[in-house]
Every structure is written in structure tokens, then in C-alpha cells.
Amino acid sequence: MNSRGDRWLDREAGPVVRPYAMVRGRTRPRGESFDLIAVVAATGERPGDRLRYSPEHTRILRRCADPVSVVDLASEIGLPLGVVRVLLGDLRDEGLLAVVATIEPAGDRPNVGVLREVLNGLRAL
């Protein structure tokens, strides 16, 4: 609380909800976790009344109408990656979302070209 009496309020963003509150304190999805570059997509099943969905669940499900990588999804909807993984797990557990593609690493060593591009991108920031 500040001197003006505002509680958990950001003038531009409105009320602030802590990320751990969105996922009820959970830090990992049940079952297998989601790799950063895994591609997820909605299965087309209707949500029904099986689970009370948060607005964030709904946003993720809408965005996953077209396949998207986990890291891109987190970036696009503006939520921390850990929160997105937990919410994805909820949707996967209900059969509403599935991992449709994964990229297996080519051996034990990372691709030098990819690392070079990442480094160049970081330097450009």
C-alpha cells in the first residue's frame, strides 16, 4: 500500500494479480512438463463444464487454435513461462490441448549456427 491508499494497483494496467495467484501457487504442471520449443495446439474438444477456466486459460486456448510454440505463446500473451506451462498442463489434462510437435536435439552439442544467431540477437538488444 502506498501513501495514497492504492492497493495492488497500477494506473496503466489496472489491478495487479500475482502470477502465482493465477495458478494457485503451483510451479509445475501435473505430468510431463512442456519444452520451450514444443508446439502445442487445441484439440478441438469443447471445454464444457469440466473445469472452471480462468480468463488466461481461455486466452491460451483461443491462441492455440493454430499451432504455436510454448515460448512464443508465453511471449504473445504476456505471462511468465512458468505460469503458461502450468495453465497448458491444466488444458492438456482436460484433453483440450496437445503437444503436436517437438524438436529433438541433434546429438549432445547445440547447433553452433543457432547459438550464434541467439548471441547476435542478444547483442542487438
Side-chain angles (χ1 to χ4, degrees):
M1 190 177 218
N2 64 27
S3 62
R4 293 182 311 225
D6 295 338
R7 293 185 323 174
W8 299 106
L9 188 69
D10 179 319
R11 288 183 188 265
E12 288 79 34
V16 175
V17 176
R18 298 285 184 192
Y20 61 81
M22 286 183 215
V23 292
R24 298 179 301 258
R26 297 174 293 157
T27 58
R28 295 187 181 143
R30 289 183 289 274
E32 200 170 318
S33 188
F34 293 87
D35 191 48
L36 290 174
I37 56 176
V39 177
V40 294
T43 61
E45 292 289 320
R46 299 201 34 89
D49 294 332
R50 294 179 282 183
L51 177 70
R52 288 188 185 195
Y53 295 103
S54 69
E56 290 78 19
H57 283 107
T58 305
R59 284 176 49 208
I60 288 173
L61 201 52
R62 271 194 217 121
R63 175 55 188 94
C64 289
D66 295 319
V68 62
S69 72
V70 172
V71 71
D72 288 336
L73 176 64
S75 175
E76 288 175 18
I77 65 173
L79 291 174
L81 184 60
V83 170
V84 171
R85 284 177 164 164
V86 171
L87 297 173
L88 286 172
D90 294 345
L91 295 168
R92 177 189 58 201
D93 293 348
E94 293 296 319
L96 302 172
L97 182 130
V99 175
V100 294
T102 57
I103 299 173
E104 297 297 324
D108 293 337
R109 300 187 61 155
N111 183 308
V112 175
V114 171
L115 292 176
R116 193 168 286 129
E117 289 295 322
V118 169
L119 184 58
N120 289 339
L122 291 172
R123 285 183 180 149
L125 293 175

